[in-house]
Amino acid sequence: MAASLTSRTLARPAFESAFEPPAFLAAMLAFEAALAAGEAAEGVIPPSSAAAIAQACKAVSFDVEALVAEAKRQGTLVVPFVKALRAATGAISRDAAEHVHHGSTTQDVLDTAMALCLKPCLDEADRSLEAAVRALARRAREHRATPMAGRTLMQPAVPITAGLKLARWATALAQDRERLADAAATGLAVQFGGAVGALEVLGAKGPAVRHRIALALGLADVPEWQSHRNNWIDLLDRLALVVVTACKIARDLALLGQAEVGEMREAPPQEGVGGSSAMPHKRNPVGCLHAIAAATRMPGLIATVHAGAAQLEHERALGGWQAELVAVPEIAGALGSSLDFLDTVASSLVIDAERMRANLAACGPAPASTDAVDELLGNLAPYLT
Amino acid sequence: MAASLTSRTLARPAFESAFEPPAFLAAMLAFEAALAAGEAAEGVIPPSSAAAIAQACKAVSFDVEALVAEAKRQGTLVVPFVKALRAATGAISRDAAEHVHHGSTTQDVLDTAMALCLKPCLDEADRSLEAAVRALARRAREHRATPMAGRTLMQPAVPITAGLKLARWATALAQDRERLADAAATGLAVQFGGAVGALEVLGAKGPAVRHRIALALGLADVPEWQSHRNNWIDLLDRLALVVVTACKIARDLALLGQAEVGEMREAPPQEGVGGSSAMPHKRNPVGCLHAIAAATRMPGLIATVHAGAAQLEHERALGGWQAELVAVPEIAGALGSSLDFLDTVASSLVIDAERMRANLAACGPAPASTDAVDELLGNLAPYLT
Amino acid sequence: MAASLTSRTLARPAFESAFEPPAFLAAMLAFEAALAAGEAAEGVIPPSSAAAIAQACKAVSFDVEALVAEAKRQGTLVVPFVKALRAATGAISRDAAEHVHHGSTTQDVLDTAMALCLKPCLDEADRSLEAAVRALARRAREHRATPMAGRTLMQPAVPITAGLKLARWATALAQDRERLADAAATGLAVQFGGAVGALEVLGAKGPAVRHRIALALGLADVPEWQSHRNNWIDLLDRLALVVVTACKIARDLALLGQAEVGEMREAPPQEGVGGSSAMPHKRNPVGCLHAIAAATRMPGLIATVHAGAAQLEHERALGGWQAELVAVPEIAGALGSSLDFLDTVASSLVIDAERMRANLAACGPAPASTDAVDELLGNLAPYLT
Amino acid sequence: MAASLTSRTLARPAFESAFEPPAFLAAMLAFEAALAAGEAAEGVIPPSSAAAIAQACKAVSFDVEALVAEAKRQGTLVVPFVKALRAATGAISRDAAEHVHHGSTTQDVLDTAMALCLKPCLDEADRSLEAAVRALARRAREHRATPMAGRTLMQPAVPITAGLKLARWATALAQDRERLADAAATGLAVQFGGAVGALEVLGAKGPAVRHRIALALGLADVPEWQSHRNNWIDLLDRLALVVVTACKIARDLALLGQAEVGEMREAPPQEGVGGSSAMPHKRNPVGCLHAIAAATRMPGLIATVHAGAAQLEHERALGGWQAELVAVPEIAGALGSSLDFLDTVASSLVIDAERMRANLAACGPAPASTDAVDELLGNLAPYLT
């Protein structure tokens, strides 16, 4: 889908642009250049062809509207893309033109480009997550003994400390971060299989070329995954778990920030943030809004990629795979909204210990122990340096 | 999310642009102009203010990037939008500026604009569906006695006629069309409730103003639906049913179009359609691809709007509603892809009665009766004139 | 799936038993008896055979465990079911045995039985919905002028009246009820198509037999819907909308019932309801729990039936349809949980006007108008007699 | 939901019984016994109490219907369960009765019991997966050079070898198996947190007691996860990936087993398997049916647990968590159906090299290289011993 105006108002700019035409075309070109270089290094095509292709990858420009129209007609973006790149290469060297995209196919380019475009998003997620964990761990240590009401099933239970709640949030995000890095190590991989995944044009040199492409692009080197995509889906699932945790925190903050509760807010009230077109005095929790909206969308998006991956006919799918071409940027977008929220929390979280004490009356006078929070803070030590 | 390059290659252009900034801003302005006109007609604001606002709605221009950035910061597109419109109105009449957006709120503008943007998509769907039903009904009549294999659980069963299969497709689409029109009659409605849905600023004049807005915009007039959205969700559900039927047909065609089967194709092979970057000789079923990819996405999108609608806190939601701001244009987009497929089928479906007869041997010699197809053709009579 | 212990603790007993072996087998037998009677009336089989089959349908008993095991092995419940019924019929009349299940197939029996089992659930839903609307409309009238805080994005907005909130709940449920009845009129239908949907064994008598079966079973008479199921899916979608509304109300009640808010509760505290294994003093909102858990599950279930319906290959699906055999009883189960909640609300809702007034201070002193609630109460007049 | 008859016909018996009352109550009792033993070992309760509780856990019996009814009324299964266990313990030792469930709460028992019930399912999955990988790897080696048509977008592409397709299936399953084992190592964990997750009743001894419970039950020892459940969700996600792969294989087999293609079948035709109530001659691919139906359901189930996990308010959720009480057994059930399919494939897969060669004509004469399959077979070496 095109960028609807309303969806843009929920997007993190860097994550928006990560899959827009300039970035995506650059990623496709990066694949083609790495492919040519790898094939030249393995003696599959002449070095001069690789050089010409590399030069063409820098020089070529695309009429995006025409490209999109032709891609739709063909059912693949790669046919008109390769045609344009081949023309640009031919302008440099007639011989090199026939070596463009040699031995490769649509899904090689698109899957690899998708991984390349997701990569900076994951790097940014890693940084945001680390910052959020550090900030929350520090606040947890600071409030390790601040009593507040524990609440279960939306009713007062027994007291906890604010530090315990904060340390749990930090722990959950730290685990999400680790899981994501773990999945990215194999899930962020080059896709290279040729027409039916057998790299039949390259014969025995296929794996070596693939290895070179992976190295050049900073992606994992694994056998083609065009019809068995679970390494990739696993990465998306784990990305979705970040969105889950962000939403849980946002839900807690929205509840704690109610006028009648007043124990925490995502940020201090600020002119020009969270206003209302009907009630200018309002200060809505905008970060929570982004995190909750993102998490409302994510289960459906994850369902989509699981459903698509389950119906990949034979050596390349008709429709099941292509659904990802829409869903993956959306998944990254939902992650972006969650990071926006986490960034706000990391920098601006407001904790009102007085209101916590006042509300505590509702669930009894008992002071809370700090054993549980201390256990979590111990685990979070690397983030508390 | 912004328009990823890959998602654009699956989109129907008119459905893409329906929610892009120019169209969506125009719809928001149409709401504000109709609001002012309605309030003037009911004596809530002076006619001169309504005239100035109408004029400003034509004159105002927006810096989309700045608008998006500010909308994100505020958590609502309507705050910066109204600010700009108020400024444009003030340039015409200082007094009128304060009457801009009078008694209204964010969700009034966005929900109504969303309905306005969906409207032409539904009109287009109606036309495509009618054409597809007509074409398929005619082909069904033509092949009412052409024998072909009936297949169940992916195995040969007993013979049917090609006409029966075609008449079923036509019948399903005709019913989808009728259901959609039925839901649109109440689901495509004005949203107008003010800050908390009570139109408290307008007092007893609220419903009359709402009625005038609805008339002006060609939408149904119903009480506000900001936190109970089932009329709207029902419309989206029924829209999703079109995508279901299109996918079922596409799946059948993809199966019938296999080299080993060869009984039907979505269209004759055509230069420049359905090529492959690795195998130039290929003619992939591009329409089927679009319909199947759309249907792979739709269950997740429908899950999203149901999930959002179930968690609409109090008088306006935090996140549950806003998830729709992304999902609804996506839902329309998936519908658009399905219509592209149906248009192809309506104009180009290829039926190979010879291959049908040849394959029939696998499931026995019995000729099929035409009673079942005749019953369906009777019901399809309005489409066979 | 079998009944997990934990799932049973969330189920409405009548909805549990509606799809359990006794009820489902009774529905399957009802189909077979109606089929035989219909075929006898149309001269397809001898009246004596229909009588014997009817008698066998009363006399036959099933070893459920053996039936399930054989059904799994065969991939269809109907093969061992018909075998047993044929044996029971043969014990009465050897000639009649061959007329059992004549001209019919697996999906005819299962789809029709599913509709028959869902029917009493829908009847019960209709009664619960009517009672809930009546109760809420009355409470709305009673509190039409009781001021309470309006809240948007989880923050105080401007005042509303309690009656407005209650009237909205009532209105939403009334609309859901009407929509459901509307969809049931065509969606609760007999399925009868024979091996490939053509009723080829019955020739021109097919529709007449189908009509007799529908009349006998109290279901709508429509042409077979084995691979185009949108009438049925539409019914399930609309059933899901009831769950959406119940959850929205439950969410509001859970928020209003927080200790710090205290404006409404689903019911007065009651010994033995909503206790905790750790905190015996607690009174958790059990009805809300059921409604929210049901609504958390429903989007996924609706996604399942949409996804299944989109991939129905040829004349009967391999897997896509069979997924419904699990999902439909689950969907009914989620509806049942929602009705449990609505029943509680209808009988026991607690409204604390004092706390409402006290909390109102947070969003300003203005008294709310009753225009909006009066409009809704006007529409609810049929429920206020 | 209770066991619908139809859902039972798709279930794997061992997976059905894993969550039924006997098994689930046994798991709950195992938790309580381990809790008491752990608390006794740490000096929290007297050893005599632990002994009495252990004895009561063996002796106690439950009236399941009464338990379910009371659980529903209370909103938790654990209140009536503990009441019964306390009574049984009191009959052995009055003093011990008060030590039953000491320091624990509902979610501790249910989450831990759920993990305990899932454990044997995962063990069985591991065995089935290993057997399937071994069988497919062997068949891949056997057919490493057997040429067959490669197919993309449902059209002939260029040739592959049958071994390549088989080796890909094996590789995907081997990776799923490894991923699952990896997630189980932390996701299959004890839950122990007490009223609000702080184990406040046990003070500094909490973690030591938890460690002892984990050891006794063979589960991982991690801090409580009642409101941050991503370790657990990650395990469920990875379990879902097995279902994805099984469905992809099933889809391929269903396509290859079409009468017009005839290259592979899940098993040889067998009397009493895959029959039809209308067409006794049919031999439907029952294993594929199970795998595809399971995969049609799974995306919705995964969406459910993600959605639930994102809305866990405060220290224990109202509804979001409880949705898992239904969903997790369903998820296991879908896995069970997939394993049934894999078991069939492992033992009975039919490969028709002759038909492969005959069909190959459609996509050209070129013989396929074995480089790609040899790379995969190298990685599968551990399964080829």
Side-chain angles (χ1 to χ4, degrees):
Chain A
M1 242 329 262
S4 65
L5 176 60
T6 46
S7 68
R8 293 203 57 203
T9 68
L10 295 167
R12 184 173 174 100
F15 281 54
E16 261 193 307
S17 52
F19 298 88
E20 282 178 328
F24 201 85
L25 287 168
M28 293 171 77
L29 291 168
F31 172 82
E32 297 288 355
L35 167 66
E39 291 182 335
E42 295 296 327
V44 179
I45 66 171
S48 58
S49 285
I53 292 169
Q55 193 182 335
C57 283
K58 283 179 191 142
V60 70
S61 74
F62 296 94
D63 173 341
V64 171
E65 295 311 312
L67 193 69
V68 162
E70 184 62 14
K72 191 183 165 193
R73 197 170 133 82
Q74 288 284 7
T76 161
L77 178 57
V78 177
V79 167
F81 165 84
V82 165
K83 190 175 169 191
L85 180 59
R86 196 162 275 149
T89 304
I92 295 163
S93 151
R94 186 168 300 176
D95 290 350
E98 72 184 275
H99 296 131
V100 167
H101 192 62
H102 178 72
S104 184
T105 194
T106 285
Q107 197 165 356
D108 296 341
V109 186
L110 294 185
D111 275 345
T112 303
M114 203 63 94
L116 282 175
C117 290
L118 187 59
K119 199 167 185 252
C121 300
L122 292 178
D123 291 343
E124 200 167 320
D126 188 72
R127 288 190 297 271
S128 276
L129 283 166
E130 185 185 0
V133 176
R134 284 191 179 280
L136 289 170
R138 276 195 302 269
R139 304 302 295 273
R141 188 170 52 184
E142 177 188 345
H143 287 284
R144 63 184 275 284
T146 305
M148 76 180 289
R151 296 171 173 99
T152 57
L153 294 93
M154 297 287 280
Q155 290 291 309
V158 296
I160 57 170
T161 71
L164 179 58
K165 189 183 277 269
L166 293 160
R168 279 173 181 160
W169 295 350
T171 300
L173 292 171
Q175 291 175 348
D176 290 337
R177 183 183 177 228
E178 199 173 321
R179 256 191 306 264
L180 196 53
D182 176 59
T186 52
L188 218 52
V190 70
Q191 154 64 24
F192 186 46
V196 288
L199 289 175
E200 63 290 336
V201 175
L202 302 184
K205 290 182 175 172
V209 171
R210 193 186 66 214
H211 187 65
R212 288 182 180 275
I213 300 172
L215 274 183
L217 299 178
L219 298 174
D221 173 25
V222 299
E224 59 78 26
W225 41 285
Q226 60 205 58
S227 289
H228 292 281
R229 313 173 63 72
N230 283 358
N231 273 334
W232 174 245
I233 306 296
D234 185 53
L235 173 59
L236 300 175
D237 285 347
R238 288 181 155 194
L239 186 161
L241 294 179
V242 176
V243 176
V244 162
T245 304
C247 183
K248 187 273 185 280
I249 298 173
R251 181 77 66 191
D252 276 6
L253 279 176
L255 290 168
L256 294 169
Q258 292 170 101
E260 297 86 354
V261 181
E263 300 182 7
M264 292 197 200
R265 289 184 73 95
E266 62 177 55
Q270 193 186 343
E271 181 63 31
V273 175
S276 154
S277 74
M279 296 161 285
H281 66 281
K282 282 197 79 178
R283 289 296 167 264
N284 294 318
V286 173
C288 293
L289 184 164
H290 286 145
I292 297 172
T296 302
R297 295 171 54 215
M298 191 58 103
L301 291 166
I302 288 301
T304 296
V305 293
H306 275 246
Q311 50 176 314
L312 302 179
E313 304 93 352
H314 296 309
E315 280 62 66
R316 182 175 352 282
L318 181 74
W321 164 59
Q322 291 86 349
E324 272 189 31
L325 299 177
V326 188
V328 172
E330 293 290 326
I331 287 171
L335 173 64
S337 293
S338 300
L339 299 184
D340 282 336
F341 164 71
L342 292 176
D343 291 353
T344 297
V345 168
S347 65
S348 312
L349 180 67
V350 177
I351 299 171
D352 187 334
E354 281 315 298
R355 287 293 294 273
M356 287 177 178
R357 283 197 186 84
N359 291 336
L360 198 55
C363 65
S369 106
T370 60
D371 294 306
V373 61
D374 291 342
E375 183 183 14
L376 297 181
L377 287 173
N379 296 339
L380 287 165
Y383 290 97
L384 281 166
T385 54
Chain B
M1 241 331 260
S4 65
L5 176 59
T6 46
S7 68
R8 294 202 58 203
T9 66
L10 295 167
R12 184 173 173 100
F15 281 54
E16 261 193 308
S17 52
F19 298 89
E20 281 178 329
F24 201 84
L25 288 168
M28 293 171 78
L29 291 168
F31 172 81
E32 296 289 354
L35 168 65
E39 291 182 335
E42 294 297 326
V44 179
I45 66 170
S48 59
S49 285
I53 292 169
Q55 195 182 334
C57 283
K58 283 178 191 143
V60 69
S61 73
F62 297 94
D63 173 341
V64 172
E65 294 310 312
L67 193 71
V68 163
E70 184 61 13
K72 191 183 164 193
R73 196 169 135 83
Q74 288 285 7
T76 161
L77 177 58
V78 178
V79 166
F81 165 83
V82 165
K83 191 175 167 191
L85 180 58
R86 196 163 275 149
T89 305
I92 296 163
S93 151
R94 185 167 301 177
D95 291 348
E98 70 186 277
H99 295 131
V100 167
H101 193 62
H102 178 72
S104 184
T105 195
T106 285
Q107 197 165 357
D108 297 341
V109 188
L110 295 185
D111 275 346
T112 304
M114 203 63 94
L116 283 175
C117 291
L118 187 59
K119 199 168 184 251
C121 299
L122 292 178
D123 291 343
E124 200 167 319
D126 188 73
R127 288 191 297 272
S128 275
L129 283 166
E130 186 186 358
V133 176
R134 284 190 180 280
L136 290 170
R138 276 194 302 269
R139 306 301 295 274
R141 189 171 52 186
E142 177 188 346
H143 287 283
R144 64 184 275 282
T146 305
M148 75 180 290
R151 296 171 173 101
T152 57
L153 295 94
M154 298 286 281
Q155 290 291 310
V158 297
I160 57 171
T161 71
L164 179 58
K165 189 183 277 270
L166 293 160
R168 280 173 181 160
W169 295 350
T171 300
L173 291 171
Q175 292 175 347
D176 290 338
R177 182 183 177 229
E178 198 173 322
R179 255 193 306 264
L180 195 53
D182 177 58
T186 54
L188 219 51
V190 69
Q191 154 64 26
F192 186 45
V196 289
L199 288 176
E200 62 291 334
V201 173
L202 301 185
K205 291 181 174 171
V209 172
R210 194 186 65 215
H211 188 66
R212 287 182 181 277
I213 302 171
L215 274 184
L217 300 177
L219 298 174
D221 173 25
V222 301
E224 58 79 25
W225 42 285
Q226 59 205 57
S227 290
H228 292 282
R229 314 173 62 72
N230 283 359
N231 273 334
W232 175 244
I233 308 296
D234 185 53
L235 174 59
L236 301 175
D237 285 347
R238 288 180 155 195
L239 187 160
L241 294 178
V242 176
V243 176
V244 162
T245 304
C247 182
K248 187 274 185 282
I249 299 173
R251 181 78 64 192
D252 276 6
L253 278 175
L255 290 168
L256 294 170
Q258 294 171 100
E260 297 86 354
V261 180
E263 300 183 8
M264 292 199 202
R265 291 184 72 97
E266 63 177 53
Q270 193 186 345
E271 181 64 30
V273 174
S276 155
S277 74
M279 296 162 284
H281 67 280
K282 282 197 80 179
R283 288 296 167 263
N284 293 317
V286 172
C288 293
L289 183 164
H290 285 145
I292 296 172
T296 303
R297 295 170 55 215
M298 191 57 104
L301 291 166
I302 287 300
T304 295
V305 293
H306 275 246
Q311 50 176 316
L312 302 180
E313 304 94 351
H314 296 310
E315 279 62 65
R316 182 172 355 279
L318 181 73
W321 164 59
Q322 291 85 351
E324 272 189 32
L325 299 177
V326 188
V328 171
E330 293 290 328
I331 287 171
L335 174 63
S337 293
S338 301
L339 299 184
D340 283 335
F341 164 70
L342 292 176
D343 291 352
T344 297
V345 169
S347 65
S348 311
L349 180 66
V350 177
I351 299 171
D352 187 335
E354 280 316 297
R355 287 294 294 272
M356 287 177 179
R357 283 197 186 84
N359 292 335
L360 197 56
C363 64
S369 108
T370 60
D371 293 307
V373 61
D374 290 343
E375 183 184 14
L376 297 182
L377 287 173
N379 295 339
L380 287 166
Y383 290 97
L384 282 164
T385 55
Chain C
M1 243 325 267
S4 65
L5 176 59
T6 46
S7 68
R8 293 203 57 202
T9 68
L10 295 167
R12 184 173 174 101
F15 282 53
E16 260 193 308
S17 52
F19 297 89
E20 282 177 328
F24 201 85
L25 287 168
M28 293 171 78
L29 291 168
F31 172 82
E32 296 289 355
L35 168 66
E39 291 182 335
E42 294 297 326
V44 179
I45 66 171
S48 58
S49 284
I53 291 169
Q55 194 182 335
C57 284
K58 284 179 191 142
V60 70
S61 73
F62 296 95
D63 173 340
V64 171
E65 294 311 312
L67 192 69
V68 163
E70 185 61 14
K72 190 182 164 195
R73 194 170 135 83
Q74 288 285 7
T76 161
L77 177 58
V78 177
V79 166
F81 165 84
V82 165
K83 191 176 169 190
L85 180 59
R86 196 162 274 151
T89 305
I92 296 163
S93 152
R94 186 167 301 177
D95 290 349
E98 71 186 275
H99 296 131
V100 167
H101 192 63
H102 178 73
S104 184
T105 194
T106 285
Q107 197 165 357
D108 296 341
V109 187
L110 295 185
D111 276 346
T112 302
M114 202 64 93
L116 282 174
C117 290
L118 186 59
K119 200 167 183 254
C121 300
L122 291 179
D123 291 343
E124 200 167 319
D126 188 72
R127 289 190 296 272
S128 275
L129 283 166
E130 185 185 359
V133 176
R134 284 190 180 281
L136 289 170
R138 277 194 300 270
R139 304 302 294 274
R141 189 170 52 185
E142 178 188 345
H143 287 283
R144 63 184 275 284
T146 305
M148 75 180 289
R151 296 171 173 100
T152 57
L153 294 94
M154 297 287 280
Q155 291 290 311
V158 296
I160 57 171
T161 72
L164 179 58
K165 189 183 277 271
L166 293 160
R168 280 173 181 160
W169 295 350
T171 300
L173 291 171
Q175 291 175 348
D176 289 338
R177 182 182 177 227
E178 199 173 321
R179 255 192 306 264
L180 196 53
D182 177 59
T186 53
L188 218 52
V190 70
Q191 154 65 24
F192 186 46
V196 288
L199 289 175
E200 63 291 335
V201 175
L202 302 184
K205 290 182 174 171
V209 172
R210 194 185 66 213
H211 188 65
R212 288 182 181 276
I213 301 172
L215 274 183
L217 300 177
L219 298 173
D221 173 24
V222 300
E224 58 79 25
W225 42 284
Q226 59 205 56
S227 289
H228 292 281
R229 313 174 62 73
N230 283 359
N231 274 334
W232 174 246
I233 307 296
D234 185 52
L235 174 59
L236 301 174
D237 285 346
R238 288 181 154 193
L239 186 160
L241 294 179
V242 176
V243 176
V244 162
T245 304
C247 182
K248 187 273 186 279
I249 299 173
R251 182 77 64 190
D252 276 6
L253 279 175
L255 290 168
L256 294 170
Q258 293 171 102
E260 297 86 354
V261 181
E263 299 182 8
M264 291 197 200
R265 291 185 72 95
E266 62 177 54
Q270 194 186 342
E271 181 63 30
V273 175
S276 155
S277 75
M279 296 161 285
H281 67 282
K282 282 198 79 179
R283 288 296 167 265
N284 293 318
V286 173
C288 293
L289 184 164
H290 286 145
I292 297 172
T296 303
R297 295 171 53 216
M298 191 57 103
L301 291 165
I302 288 300
T304 296
V305 293
H306 275 246
Q311 50 176 314
L312 302 180
E313 304 94 350
H314 296 311
E315 280 63 65
R316 183 175 351 282
L318 181 74
W321 164 59
Q322 291 85 351
E324 272 189 31
L325 299 177
V326 188
V328 172
E330 294 290 326
I331 287 171
L335 174 63
S337 294
S338 300
L339 298 184
D340 284 335
F341 164 71
L342 292 176
D343 291 352
T344 297
V345 168
S347 66
S348 311
L349 180 67
V350 177
I351 299 171
D352 187 335
E354 281 316 299
R355 286 293 293 272
M356 287 177 179
R357 284 197 185 85
N359 290 336
L360 198 55
C363 65
S369 107
T370 60
D371 294 306
V373 60
D374 290 342
E375 183 184 13
L376 296 181
L377 287 173
N379 295 339
L380 288 165
Y383 290 97
L384 281 165
T385 54
Chain D
M1 243 327 264
S4 65
L5 176 59
T6 46
S7 67
R8 293 202 58 202
T9 66
L10 295 167
R12 185 173 173 101
F15 281 54
E16 262 193 307
S17 53
F19 297 88
E20 281 178 328
F24 201 84
L25 287 167
M28 293 171 78
L29 291 167
F31 172 82
E32 296 289 354
L35 168 67
E39 291 183 334
E42 295 296 326
V44 179
I45 66 169
S48 59
S49 285
I53 292 169
Q55 195 183 334
C57 283
K58 284 179 190 142
V60 69
S61 74
F62 297 94
D63 173 341
V64 171
E65 294 311 311
L67 192 70
V68 163
E70 184 61 14
K72 192 183 164 195
R73 195 170 135 83
Q74 288 285 7
T76 161
L77 178 58
V78 177
V79 166
F81 166 84
V82 166
K83 192 175 167 190
L85 180 58
R86 197 163 274 150
T89 305
I92 295 163
S93 151
R94 186 166 303 177
D95 291 349
E98 69 187 276
H99 295 132
V100 168
H101 193 62
H102 178 72
S104 185
T105 196
T106 285
Q107 197 166 356
D108 297 340
V109 187
L110 295 185
D111 275 345
T112 304
M114 203 63 94
L116 282 174
C117 290
L118 187 59
K119 200 168 184 252
C121 300
L122 292 178
D123 291 342
E124 200 166 320
D126 188 72
R127 288 190 297 271
S128 276
L129 283 166
E130 186 186 358
V133 176
R134 284 190 180 281
L136 289 170
R138 275 194 302 268
R139 305 301 295 273
R141 188 171 52 185
E142 177 188 347
H143 287 283
R144 65 185 275 283
T146 305
M148 76 181 288
R151 296 170 173 101
T152 58
L153 295 95
M154 298 287 280
Q155 289 291 312
V158 297
I160 57 171
T161 71
L164 179 59
K165 189 183 276 270
L166 293 160
R168 280 174 180 159
W169 294 351
T171 300
L173 291 171
Q175 291 175 348
D176 289 338
R177 182 183 177 228
E178 198 172 322
R179 255 193 306 264
L180 196 52
D182 176 58
T186 53
L188 219 51
V190 69
Q191 154 64 27
F192 186 45
V196 288
L199 289 176
E200 62 290 335
V201 174
L202 301 184
K205 290 181 174 170
V209 172
R210 194 185 65 214
H211 188 65
R212 287 182 181 276
I213 301 172
L215 274 183
L217 300 177
L219 298 174
D221 174 25
V222 300
E224 59 78 27
W225 42 285
Q226 59 204 58
S227 290
H228 292 282
R229 312 173 65 72
N230 283 359
N231 273 334
W232 175 245
I233 308 296
D234 185 53
L235 173 59
L236 301 174
D237 285 346
R238 288 181 155 194
L239 187 160
L241 294 179
V242 177
V243 176
V244 162
T245 303
C247 182
K248 187 274 185 281
I249 299 173
R251 182 77 65 192
D252 276 5
L253 278 176
L255 290 168
L256 294 170
Q258 293 170 102
E260 296 86 355
V261 180
E263 299 183 7
M264 292 198 201
R265 290 185 73 97
E266 62 177 54
Q270 193 186 344
E271 181 64 29
V273 174
S276 156
S277 74
M279 296 161 285
H281 67 281
K282 282 197 80 179
R283 289 295 167 263
N284 294 317
V286 172
C288 293
L289 184 164
H290 285 146
I292 296 172
T296 303
R297 296 171 53 215
M298 191 57 103
L301 291 166
I302 288 300
T304 295
V305 295
H306 275 246
Q311 50 175 315
L312 302 179
E313 304 93 351
H314 296 310
E315 280 61 66
R316 183 174 351 282
L318 181 73
W321 165 58
Q322 291 86 351
E324 273 189 30
L325 300 176
V326 188
V328 171
E330 294 290 326
I331 287 171
L335 174 63
S337 294
S338 300
L339 298 184
D340 283 336
F341 163 71
L342 292 176
D343 291 351
T344 297
V345 169
S347 65
S348 311
L349 180 67
V350 177
I351 298 171
D352 186 335
E354 281 315 300
R355 287 294 292 273
M356 288 177 179
R357 282 196 186 86
N359 291 335
L360 197 56
C363 64
S369 106
T370 61
D371 293 307
V373 60
D374 290 342
E375 183 183 14
L376 297 181
L377 287 173
N379 296 338
L380 287 166
Y383 290 96
L384 281 164
T385 55

